Amino acid sequence: MPAPVPDRPATSDEAALQARFDATIAADHRIEPRDWMPEGYRKTLIRQIAQHAHSEIIGMQPEGDWLLAAPSLRRKAILLAKVQDEAGHGMYLYSAAETLGADRADLTDKLIEGRQKYSSIFNYPTLTYADVGVIGWFVDGAAICNQVPLCRSSYGPYARAMIRVCKEESFHQRQGYELLMTMMRGTPEQRAMVQDAVDRWWWPSLMMFGPPDDDSPNSAQSMAWGIKRHSNDELRQRYVDMSVPQADVLGVTLPDPDLTYDPDSGHYRFGAIDWTEFKRVISGNGPANAERIARRRAARDDNAWVTEAATAYAAKHAS
Amino acid sequence: MAHEETVYEALDHAHGGEGQWAFGTGFDEPLAGVDTTVPEGIDPTDLGVYCLMLGDDALVLAQRLTEWVTAAPELEEEVAIANVALDLLGQARLLLARAGSVGVLGRSREPATDSIPDEDALAYFRDPDEFRCTALVAAPNGDFARTMVRLLVASSFRLAVFTRLRESRDPVLAAIAAKGVHELTYHRDHAARWLVRLGDGTEESSRRAQDGVEVVWPLLTDLFVPTDVEQRLTAAGAAVAPSAVRDEVRDVLAEVIGRAALRLPEWPADTPPRGRVGEHDPELAELLGTLQGLAREHPAATW
């Protein structure tokens, strides 16, 4: 097997382009679609943005499972609007990937064939309506911690997409928390539902930040390129610090006996994460992996004739 | 810290205070602050039943369209279908709230549901035979072509009714109609464009579109025959008799079917109203079972 081609300019022209790219990154300015960029930068971005887009689209499913059964019309409207936002986020992100030369249909095929990943959190099932609230609070909360720094990502289209996405995610998080607040003021069964959902989603939400820094091979290069701004562990800590006081206000217990406040650092210390489970789920063996992909595949395959028809119609009527 | 990184903190700060962390709690019912007095000469019971007819059509069609979420042909269509469903859900909420405000709840209200809003008492705690929707909206989706044919027919009918209903002597109904006209114009346009695309797309899409038309057309049979309630309310200037929009709807449908290069089936003969008086096929009970299940499991809960 040949050694990978190093990200090093081969000619003096490329050396000048590389120098300009490096200067743009160093000055914390944005790289735009028509700018020259190293192939590794382009590939890393496509992989990251596609994975993010896939997560939005697959992420419609766990909550979408409750759309038809939402327990009030107001909750139904809120959830429908939220799931619709996620479809919109997916569209933005696929478009951002397309500015790098990727193709949405091709990326979707890669998702369905298991050649690209999505956030492993969406492989857990939503067992009760409290899960809708907890997904908003935890999953969207963690997504915000991950994504707010991406508003300063070095790639312009991605950074700009993230600004709008983050505003909507912030709203989503609040709707989740508001649902949980309402449920905690409800019947004992509702309060038990909330605690049960918290117990099931807390640890998977901590895994959303990815492997620990000493086991995250791509992180250093992404940081150097300004694609990533904070390490996985930094972001995870920020999320824990944010969530603990919110859990207190809500009146639920986070399922971690080792969770304690460390006055010296000002941070909450938390217990060990089960990375074996993370690896099991991310490699396709979580509770709902097969179901998530099967549904995405069905949406593509069962409706392929619609896309073909629209394409044929457009071709007939192209002037 | 760069300003983007403060988006989250800024929101938190602006809406800070512990109990207020989740801003936007404490929602009002859809008609809060609206004068819901029924004008003289309009029978409140009739008005309530009429609002159920229009509200149930919207609620049930919204539920059917929601079945497409995560299963639509393209992401653009995910967004579009969710939009249409949200519009209809919004119309349903207003209409059910209006029905509640004129006292239609009497029969359905159980003590356990006293604390829940009228719109939810009506949507979640009525049995199928108390629903007043037509078979047109209750029928299963079928494939994407049939879904679009049904949406075309349902939105053409509803738009024609709402356009006239803007002049209703009930100001609440008139306002709901005025808002809905803009939404329904988009729904009809969206469905019509798809039908033209499918009819003039590939051989398969044309066949599927034609099949959709053949399945949906018989559902027109009792759409235009007014019930006694509609007749009385129309005479009182509060409602629109469905018979008054028949020609307009027929013309719209004929035009779209023609442009889509499809065959226009014969218009079905009128039959007495069924759905409007609470007679439904079993598929409505199935749809409502899903919609109502969780709420009925926890009648004392607040959501």
Side-chain angles (χ1 to χ4, degrees), chain B residues 34-284:
Chain B
V34 173
D35 180 0
T36 54
T37 315
V38 178
E40 219 171 300
I42 298 174
D43 182 85
T45 308
D46 280 352
L47 182 63
V49 170
Y50 185 59
C51 287
L52 290 182
M53 293 177 186
L54 298 176
D56 290 346
D57 272 1
L59 177 62
V60 170
L61 185 53
Q63 183 81 352
R64 283 292 182 219
L65 290 169
T66 302
E67 292 172 10
W68 273 101
V69 174
T70 73
E74 294 286 342
L75 295 181
E76 286 78 359
E77 197 54 29
E78 288 282 355
V79 175
I81 287 186
N83 250 340
V84 176
L86 272 168
D87 285 345
L88 290 171
L89 187 54
Q91 292 177 14
R93 293 182 63 191
L94 289 165
L95 287 159
L96 295 183
R98 180 55 174 150
S101 75
V102 297
V104 82
L105 271 159
R107 179 160 78 98
S108 310
R109 189 64 110 167
E110 314 259 346
T113 63
D114 268 353
S115 62
I116 69 173
D118 289 353
E119 59 177 87
D120 290 333
L122 288 166
Y124 290 92
F125 293 90
R126 271 183 305 155
D127 291 333
D129 65 353
E130 296 174 278
F131 272 74
R132 303 285 186 147
C133 55
T134 61
L136 174 67
V137 295
N141 283 327
D143 65 6
F144 185 72
R146 197 202 296 180
T147 299
M148 285 300 129
V149 173
R150 187 249 299 275
L151 180 61
L152 173 72
V153 175
S155 56
S156 299
F157 172 71
R158 197 169 174 86
L159 177 57
V161 171
F162 271 42
T163 302
R164 290 159 179 78
L165 204 56
R166 290 180 298 184
E167 311 299 326
S168 170
R169 281 190 56 238
D170 175 32
V172 179
L173 208 44
I176 294 170
K179 177 174 182 286
V181 160
H182 302 289
E183 298 167 343
L184 294 161
T185 303
Y186 163 72
H187 305 173
R188 190 180 72 172
D189 183 63
H190 186 72
R193 282 169 190 272
W194 264 118
L195 210 58
V196 169
R197 242 176 255 137
L198 296 177
D200 192 16
T202 62
E203 207 170 300
E204 181 181 8
S205 69
S206 171
R207 175 179 57 74
R208 285 175 180 266
Q210 189 67 53
D211 289 351
V213 169
E214 304 296 338
V215 173
V216 170
W217 242 245
L219 302 173
L220 289 162
T221 183
D222 68 344
L223 204 56
F224 300 96
V225 184
T227 57
D228 295 346
V229 168
E230 288 168 297
Q231 277 174 342
R232 286 195 297 269
L233 274 182
T234 303
V240 175
S243 44
V245 304
R246 186 203 319 250
D247 289 349
E248 181 185 319
V249 173
R250 184 153 49 185
D251 290 349
V252 167
L253 296 180
E255 190 188 336
V256 178
I257 297 296
R259 288 214 201 169
L262 296 169
R263 194 187 66 80
L264 187 65
E266 205 169 308
W267 196 264
D270 281 344
T271 54
R274 286 188 63 235
R276 294 286 188 233
V277 296
E279 292 168 25
H280 303 286
D281 296 322
E283 57 227 16
L284 179 71

Side-chain angles (χ1 to χ4, degrees), chain A residues 68 70-76 84 104 148 152 170 173-174 177-178 190 242 246 295 303 307 316-317, chain B residues 2 5 8 11 21 23 25 27 63 70-71 74 76 79 83 119-120 124 200-201 291 301-303:
Chain A
L68 296 173
S72 76
L73 296 186
R74 184 168 75 87
R75 291 293 169 202
K76 190 191 282 287
Q84 184 194 34
R104 193 208 292 184
V148 165
R152 294 195 298 124
S170 176
Q173 193 199 15
R174 279 147 206 280
Y177 196 78
E178 188 266 332
Q190 285 183 295
M242 181 181 90
Q246 292 169 356
R295 200 186 307 180
N303 298 306
T307 310
K316 281 186 210 176
H317 296 270
Chain B
E5 282 196 59
Y8 182 77
L11 270 170
W21 188 83
F23 69 87
T25 50
F27 290 82
Q63 183 81 352
T70 73
E74 294 286 342
E76 286 78 359
V79 175
N83 250 340
E119 59 177 87
D120 290 333
Y124 290 92
D200 192 16
L291 189 148
T302 42
W303 305 96

Side-chain angles (χ1 to χ4, degrees), chain A residues 2-305:
Chain A
V5 180
D7 248 337
R8 199 179 54 213
T11 68
S12 58
D13 270 2
E14 275 199 28
L17 292 167
Q18 176 79 50
R20 192 191 297 168
F21 173 85
D22 291 342
T24 306
I25 298 287
D28 212 6
H29 291 160
R30 300 269 199 266
I31 305 296
E32 294 298 337
R34 287 179 190 165
D35 294 344
W36 182 90
M37 63 190 83
E39 222 21 56
Y41 177 86
R42 184 187 300 274
K43 279 189 184 147
T44 301
L45 270 171
I46 291 178
R47 182 175 55 85
Q48 180 174 333
I49 297 173
Q51 198 165 306
H52 191 165
H54 298 331
S55 302
E56 296 283 358
I57 300 306
I58 295 293
M60 294 166 70
Q61 291 186 26
E63 291 174 284
D65 285 345
W66 284 99
L67 276 171
L68 296 173
S72 76
L73 296 186
R74 184 168 75 87
R75 291 293 169 202
K76 190 191 282 287
I78 290 171
L79 187 57
L80 187 50
K82 186 191 179 221
V83 172
Q84 184 194 34
D85 279 353
E86 284 156 8
H89 295 174
M91 275 167 59
Y92 280 163
L93 289 161
Y94 285 124
S95 300
E98 288 189 327
T99 66
L100 292 158
D103 171 71
R104 193 208 292 184
D106 175 56
L107 297 175
T108 301
D109 292 345
K110 286 191 169 112
L111 164 70
I112 290 169
E113 288 153 19
R115 289 189 286 140
Q116 284 180 342
K117 295 192 188 310
Y118 56 90
S119 181
S120 66
I121 192 93
F122 300 119
N123 290 318
Y124 293 88
T126 43
L127 302 183
T128 74
Y129 206 77
D131 290 35
V132 170
V134 170
I135 286 178
W137 178 30
F138 284 167
V139 178
D140 293 315
I144 290 165
C145 289
N146 265 329
Q147 292 168 17
V148 165
L150 295 177
C151 298
R152 294 195 298 124
S153 164
S154 62
Y155 188 58
Y158 191 32
R160 288 188 289 273
M162 277 304 105
I163 292 172
R164 175 158 175 186
V165 168
C166 284
K167 285 181 182 167
E168 294 182 350
E169 294 293 359
S170 176
F171 192 75
H172 295 173
Q173 193 199 15
R174 279 147 206 280
Q175 71 78 33
Y177 196 78
E178 188 266 332
L179 167 60
L180 298 177
M181 287 280 244
T182 307
M183 289 183 72
M184 289 302 282
R185 286 195 297 261
T187 62
E189 289 83 6
Q190 285 183 295
R191 283 192 285 281
M193 257 186 239
V194 174
Q195 183 62 56
D196 168 65
V198 165
D199 291 346
R200 283 181 289 110
W201 289 91
W202 173 247
W203 288 106
S205 76
L206 291 184
M207 297 177 198
M208 284 178 69
F209 297 91
D213 293 348
D214 53 19
D215 186 26
S216 181
N218 299 322
S219 283
Q221 179 61 73
S222 286
M223 301 265 273
W225 273 331
I227 295 174
K228 207 173 150 82
R229 295 282 176 177
H230 303 280
S231 79
N232 293 352
D233 286 333
E234 278 169 17
L235 293 168
R236 189 167 10 245
Q237 184 65 56
R238 186 182 288 192
Y239 169 72
V240 172
D241 290 342
M242 181 181 90
S243 301
V244 175
Q246 292 169 356
D248 287 345
V249 172
L250 194 57
V252 294
T253 309
L254 297 175
D256 179 359
D258 296 329
L259 193 65
T260 47
Y261 185 68
D262 170 18
D264 293 339
S265 64
H267 292 300
Y268 287 90
R269 298 295 167 213
F270 50 96
I273 295 172
D274 180 1
W275 292 110
T276 334
E277 168 168 333
F278 176 74
K279 285 181 179 141
R280 186 172 61 80
V281 176
I282 197 102
S283 56
N285 300 309
N289 297 57
E291 182 190 331
R292 301 289 182 242
I293 291 298
R295 200 186 307 180
R296 189 72 193 92
R297 183 193 297 276
R300 181 194 64 178
D301 294 353
D302 297 353
N303 298 306
W305 66 272

